[in-house]
Amino acid sequence: MNWDVIIVGAGLAGLTCGLELSLKGNKVLVLEANPVVGGRCSNWNDAGMEVESGFHRYIGYFSALPALLKKAGVDINDILTWEEKIDVLIKGKKKKLVLGISPVHGVLKMIRGITGNQDVLTIKDKLSLIPFSLNGYKDFLLNPKKLDQYSVKEYAGLHNVTDNAFDYLLVPLSSGSYFLPADRYSAYVFFGLFAPAFYKFYKMRIGAFSGGMTDVMCQPIADQIIELGGAVQIGEKVTDVILNEKGEVAGVKGENRKEYRSKQVVVAASLAGAKQVLARFKEKAEFSNLFRLPINPASTFQIDLNQPALETDITSFGPKTALASFAEQSRTTFRDCKGRLSIILDSPDKFLSTTAEDALKIVIEDAKALGVHLEGKIEDYRKIDHPEDIYSLAPGNHFLRPGQATTIPGLTLAGDYTKQPYFSTMEGAVVSGQKAAAIVTKALQRKAKAPG
């Protein structure tokens, strides 16, 4: 069939673009290499165990994502359980730092977090964060390229942040969020991730999904595209784009050599996938930054237990251990499990080459050091590896991100790695998809008005 638009990738960026274009009456085909939609926001059954692509949380200041879901008939409040605090567990000390994160919905928790926790963070530790924060947000606004040359560790050292404040607050908020050590994590990204919380402070809190993200979020978007006359085809890996005699992109080729024709193509695959699909353009100057942009790996560990590992399902961090961030999800995402511990592993490079059995031994020991005892409770487990997960958030990479528009007629990009106000987040993926849809809409309108 000939389509108005073919979208490569059914992650949030591709699904967003597909829904926005379908709502405008375009005939859309979304092609996805994996057996489920969702990309990095997906869940599936792995040989009898329900797993997800990684441990994810929704940030309360997101606005584009809930608006998109509403178009697919999903109310964000129906698929989330809200949290107003986070825990930072201290290795070997049987202590934890409890931080309120919601100035409106959990104001007392936030006040207690600032004034309390003296056994972990002293007044001196807390005060040392003030010049770091004030200068960081000033540089984020006025000197972004300069700030992007510093790692979080370097910038903390520049402003004399104490060791305790660095280890138990800045490390969890950097490596605990994006599994990249603080000495390799861009200070620009660190401040940029939290910058929207300033003008949307009243929305700030964290949401745990009440089910796998394919099930509760991504599949409903795909279903809406289909209902509007489009198609979503899974298990079809795109290997190349098709050019016509004018040098315009006129479709794509599948791994089985099947050709799909269209007026416009949006490459909304992951950065690694986009580099493969667009390999023919590698030597073109406008794509140089895309092919230079490094990719960071990720590794997560998911454990089914015969009882909950933690008293509550709350976002937790384990600095100085392999448990960068984790949560007990049997009360939210995996309610059919008696207990379910989902973990983002610190230093994913190391865990990619580690067997699941050896990784489990490390997880058990490090969890024990944090006061979480797993011995005798484990029923099943999986290590989910992503050798090429997200674009690297290391210093110097932010300004390599390409825009959605290209000079190749008929070709547009989407994905959280493309330029938009957010980083590697669900919100960023949605915004990129919306930007791509706007570009494609204008291109289709121009083509419709063109003579002949």
Side-chain angles (χ1 to χ4, degrees):
M1 291 182 65
N2 287 317
W3 301 86
D4 292 321
V5 187
I6 290 175
I7 298 171
V8 181
L12 264 181
L15 291 172
T16 297
C17 187
L19 180 54
E20 296 288 0
L21 290 167
S22 296
L23 287 166
K24 294 182 182 298
N26 297 295
K27 190 165 61 175
V28 173
L29 170 64
V30 183
L31 298 173
E32 169 58 47
N34 292 312
V36 296
V37 301
R40 293 201 310 275
C41 295
S42 59
N43 66 280
W44 65 94
N45 186 287
D46 184 349
M49 180 174 170
E50 292 296 325
V51 299
E52 59 183 355
S53 57
F55 166 48
H56 294 271
R57 285 299 198 251
Y58 176 97
I59 303 177
Y61 63 64
F62 288 170
S63 58
L65 176 54
L68 174 81
L69 289 174
K70 188 175 182 180
K71 295 176 182 179
V74 178
D75 185 330
I76 194 69
N77 291 294
D78 291 340
I79 63 170
L80 294 176
T81 299
W82 292 105
E83 305 172 9
E84 279 102 35
K85 65 175 184 174
I86 59 174
D87 286 346
V88 180
L89 279 62
I90 311 303
K91 182 180 180 180
K93 294 187 178 181
K94 295 183 180 180
K95 296 178 180 179
K96 66 179 178 180
L97 184 67
V98 182
L99 299 173
I101 55 170
S102 179
V104 172
H105 301 281
V107 61
L108 293 179
K109 293 184 180 74
M110 196 160 195
I111 292 172
R112 284 196 293 267
I114 295 171
T115 59
N117 296 300
Q118 299 293 340
D119 56 338
V120 178
L121 291 182
T122 66
I123 294 294
K124 179 182 177 181
D125 295 326
K126 295 171 184 176
L127 290 176
S128 76
L129 292 166
I130 295 176
F132 168 81
S133 301
L134 292 178
N135 283 286
Y137 285 111
K138 180 196 72 175
D139 287 342
F140 177 79
L141 294 172
L142 303 178
N143 302 297
K145 289 192 175 181
K146 178 183 176 182
L147 185 61
D148 194 40
Q149 299 308 309
Y150 288 100
S151 71
V152 172
K153 185 174 183 179
E154 290 169 337
Y155 202 75
L158 185 66
H159 295 288
N160 301 310
V161 173
T162 65
D163 289 344
N164 272 354
F166 176 76
D167 289 339
Y168 300 131
L169 194 59
L170 300 189
V171 168
L173 294 178
S174 55
S175 62
S177 300
Y178 282 114
F179 37 86
L180 193 65
D183 60 352
R184 292 168 50 201
Y185 189 109
S186 167
Y188 177 83
V189 174
F190 179 88
F191 288 103
L193 183 64
F194 300 105
F198 276 98
Y199 60 91
K200 294 182 181 178
F201 70 94
Y202 56 94
K203 290 186 174 182
M204 189 58 196
R205 49 182 173 167
I206 293 176
F209 286 92
S210 303
M213 287 178 292
T214 292
D215 298 336
V216 303
M217 181 171 67
C218 297
Q219 190 60 53
I221 303 173
D223 292 342
Q224 187 65 16
I225 293 171
I226 294 168
E227 187 172 327
L228 290 166
V232 179
Q233 185 173 328
I234 58 176
E236 179 62 283
K237 182 178 181 180
V238 172
T239 59
D240 197 2
V241 295
I242 298 170
L243 299 181
N244 63 20
E245 63 280 359
K246 297 180 182 178
E248 301 168 333
V249 172
V252 299
K253 292 180 182 178
E255 196 169 36
N256 59 5
R257 297 188 179 182
K258 185 174 181 180
E259 295 188 353
Y260 302 85
R261 298 282 176 167
S262 63
K263 300 172 185 175
Q264 294 281 316
V265 169
V266 178
V267 175
S270 66
L271 177 56
K275 289 183 179 185
Q276 294 173 7
V277 174
L278 301 174
R280 66 162 63 228
F281 302 121
K282 188 172 183 178
E283 302 306 318
K284 292 185 73 70
E286 75 166 291
F287 291 94
S288 62
N289 281 351
L290 183 148
F291 283 97
R292 286 171 56 203
L293 190 56
I295 303 174
N296 207 58
S299 187
T300 68
F301 210 83
Q302 300 169 40
I303 310 175
D304 275 349
L305 305 159
N306 58 21
Q307 64 184 77
L310 301 169
E311 292 181 1
T312 57
D313 183 349
I314 188 171
T315 303
S316 303
F317 300 91
K320 300 185 179 183
T321 74
L323 286 71
S325 59
F326 55 97
E328 166 60 58
Q329 294 185 296
S330 60
R331 301 176 185 90
T332 55
T333 308
F334 296 96
R335 299 192 183 205
D336 291 336
C337 298
K338 299 173 186 175
R340 176 56 178 262
L341 190 65
S342 293
I343 305 161
I344 291 178
L345 295 172
D346 199 0
S347 301
D349 309 73
K350 176 183 74 174
F351 281 100
L352 291 179
S353 58
T354 303
T355 66
E357 292 76 15
D358 288 341
L360 178 62
K361 294 175 184 177
I362 296 171
V363 166
I364 290 173
E365 287 302 311
D366 279 3
K368 185 176 181 180
L370 295 173
V372 181
H373 299 280
L374 304 176
E375 301 92 334
K377 302 176 184 176
I378 298 171
E379 294 188 337
D380 206 350
Y381 59 91
R382 295 289 187 277
K383 182 165 73 82
I384 309 295
D385 290 330
H386 302 282
E388 296 177 307
D389 191 48
I390 62 173
Y391 78 92
S392 174
L393 302 177
N397 292 331
H398 172 71
F399 294 94
L400 293 176
R401 299 166 74 184
Q404 290 80 30
T406 77
T407 61
I408 310 296
L411 177 64
T412 306
L413 306 179
D416 59 18
Y417 70 89
T418 60
K419 287 180 183 176
Q420 31 79 23
Y422 302 91
F423 301 96
S424 187
T425 62
M426 290 178 274
E427 185 79 349
V430 170
V431 171
S432 77
Q434 291 174 330
K435 286 178 173 288
I439 292 168
V440 170
T441 297
K442 289 182 180 179
L444 289 171
Q445 289 172 344
R446 286 195 301 269
K447 200 160 189 175
K449 293 178 181 178

